[in-house]
Amino acid sequence: MLFNSYVFWVFLAVVLALHAVLRGRGRKVLLLVASYVFYGYWDWRFLGLIALSTLTDFIAAQAIDGAAERARKKAWLVVSVALNLGILGFFKYFDFFVESLSSVLIAAGLPGFEPVLKVVLPVGISFYTFQTMSYTIDVYRGHLKPSRDLLDFAVYVSFFPQLVAGPIERATRFLPQIVSPRKRTAADLPEGAYLVLSGLFRKVVIADNLAAVANAIFSADPATLTGPEVIVGVYAFAFQIYGDFSGYTDIARGVARWLGYDLMVNFRMPYLAVSPSDFWRRWHISLSSWLRDYLYIPLGGNRNGRWNTYRNLMLTMLLGGLWHGAAWTFVAWGAFHGLILVTSRAFAGKEREEKRPLIARIPAMVLMFQLVA
């Protein structure tokens, strides 16, 4: 993990020092260069992908805004979405679909085949792809005027603190901070330090140590494990992934505060959720709200009857599962979360559990944590 490396902290110290010296447009140039250096440190060859996505969406958004006919606006939106999903689909899912097809052929008694490309997945591609797609969709919907400055937009797409693992920032919220940076306050330094240190504690102390427990249990021969040992592994992994992901997010938020930017909260104590919908209001909020606004609601949301609502929930969670990773296990994970969302909506009625007194919510919290684990 890059935050565990002294190289990152030296890099960050240099960026913060230069940021304090520069003013105006010079700071934006610094952030763009720093972001590309940060991303290119892993593999410089993938810088072309983020640059292509940035340039395409910058041009497409201006064309959408300037088009008089709705058909022309939609055509430019299709260009943007097709390019972004095409790049994401090729690099993230090509090998997965080829291997799945080969397995089907073998199961049918036909000769299978091995993927010939062995595509390498660019780090963070799912995050910045969703971020740029939301920008052009919001311009198309009339929720946002397009950026007229390529530098501003490029910084928005590649802002290094949240580039590789979110949160997924909407242009309606974050782009104005880049166009007209907020004035830093005296609270930014200590509050940023608190976010960074608490994030590091969750990542390095909690998550990394629990990873040793979870990995030891899940790498063992299942026949040698007892039931309690498996439960310990499951719980260890639950808190490992929370500590890792929420810790990373708060480090990103803290670094952004030091630079004068405010990133959104991405986690709100998700293991205290009392229902599936409450969980998704607390866990990876930037993704769950993205899926709601750009997938679930366009599919029809809850507007066309109970069964269509259930279908839309299942489709959203299946695709959300596939977004997390190119494997059938992720599809199964999405299907499971879709199923408990549907079941909860079908039997819970309109009363919101989270509005009940704490003592009445504890059993629901315990049950929901077991379902998540």
Side-chain angles (χ1 to χ4, degrees):
M1 183 68 179
L2 189 56
F3 287 145
N4 292 16
S5 168
Y6 75 92
V7 175
F8 170 76
W9 297 105
V10 171
F11 161 82
L12 178 60
V14 172
V15 172
L16 289 172
L18 292 174
H19 193 267
V21 172
L22 297 170
R23 292 292 182 271
R25 198 168 180 83
R27 285 183 169 177
K28 297 179 185 180
V29 172
L30 168 67
L31 287 176
L32 181 62
V33 171
S35 297
Y36 274 56
V37 168
F38 176 86
Y39 194 73
Y41 180 80
W42 176 70
D43 193 327
W44 63 269
R45 293 172 299 175
F46 293 122
L47 286 172
L49 293 178
I50 196 169
L52 176 61
S53 182
T54 299
L55 187 59
T56 300
D57 289 326
F58 178 76
I59 294 171
Q62 294 200 43
I64 290 169
D65 185 62
E69 304 85 11
R70 189 168 184 81
R72 189 170 180 82
K73 291 177 181 287
K74 184 173 288 188
W76 275 105
L77 177 65
V78 169
V79 168
S80 168
V81 171
L83 178 82
N84 282 299
L85 290 182
I87 293 174
L88 178 63
F90 175 75
F91 282 94
K92 190 167 185 174
Y93 302 108
F94 178 83
D95 284 350
F96 166 63
F97 285 120
V98 168
E99 289 168 1
S100 297
L101 177 60
S102 179
S103 297
V104 170
L105 292 174
I106 292 172
L110 299 172
F113 49 86
E114 289 290 325
V116 294
L117 296 182
K118 299 292 184 183
V119 179
V120 177
L121 177 65
V123 64
I125 190 171
S126 298
F127 290 90
Y128 74 73
T129 297
F130 270 31
Q131 188 155 303
T132 58
M133 282 175 58
S134 70
Y135 167 75
T136 50
I137 293 171
D138 281 347
V139 171
Y140 175 79
R141 291 175 173 176
H143 297 166
L144 177 73
K145 297 300 289 183
S147 173
R148 301 296 177 186
D149 189 326
L150 181 58
L151 176 60
D152 286 342
F153 183 66
V155 172
Y156 160 70
V157 174
S158 65
F159 187 60
F160 75 86
Q162 47 87 231
L163 175 60
V164 298
I168 303 168
E169 284 286 352
R170 309 280 182 92
T172 50
R173 183 186 181 278
F174 192 56
L175 189 55
Q177 295 186 51
I178 296 170
V179 174
S180 301
R182 58 186 281 274
K183 291 185 178 180
R184 283 188 291 178
T185 67
D188 281 343
L189 182 60
E191 289 179 4
Y194 171 78
L195 287 168
V196 169
L197 291 174
S198 64
L200 279 171
F201 179 83
R202 269 172 282 150
K203 170 67 184 79
V204 178
V205 178
I206 296 177
D208 287 359
N209 283 292
L210 285 176
V213 177
N215 292 342
I217 291 173
F218 284 113
S219 63
D221 180 357
T224 67
L225 297 174
T226 65
E229 287 173 331
V230 174
I231 291 174
V232 168
V234 170
Y235 288 171
F237 182 69
F239 287 99
Q240 175 204 339
I241 195 171
Y242 172 69
D244 192 88
F245 200 179
S246 71
Y248 178 98
T249 298
D250 278 355
I251 295 170
R253 292 178 61 220
V255 170
R257 287 292 292 274
W258 286 341
L259 292 166
Y261 297 92
D262 181 32
L263 297 178
M264 69 177 290
V265 174
N266 210 23
F267 292 87
R268 296 185 189 275
M269 295 184 287
Y271 292 156
L272 298 184
V274 295
S275 67
S277 57
D278 187 32
F279 176 77
W280 286 107
R281 285 190 289 268
R282 296 167 175 266
W283 177 276
H284 202 348
I285 301 167
S286 63
L287 174 65
S288 59
S289 61
W290 196 102
L291 291 171
R292 178 197 65 206
D293 294 342
Y294 299 105
L295 185 57
Y296 175 69
I297 292 176
L299 283 171
N302 57 4
R303 297 190 300 272
N304 299 312
R306 182 173 57 177
W307 293 106
N308 284 330
T309 298
Y310 298 162
R311 178 204 64 189
N312 297 337
L313 284 170
M314 287 299 300
L315 286 173
T316 299
M317 294 313 300
L318 283 169
L319 291 171
L322 197 57
W323 178 89
H324 279 82
W328 288 110
T329 48
F330 286 107
V331 176
W333 176 86
F336 172 76
H337 273 277
L339 181 61
I340 61 174
L341 276 166
V342 167
T343 304
S344 174
R345 183 176 286 266
F347 292 102
K350 294 184 177 179
E351 182 179 6
R352 290 179 63 172
E353 289 266 5
E354 55 269 29
K355 298 251 183 222
R356 294 181 181 179
L358 176 61
I359 192 67
R361 284 185 281 137
I362 290 176
M365 289 179 188
V366 173
L367 174 60
M368 189 61 216
F369 176 69
Q370 307 313 312
L371 291 172
V372 171

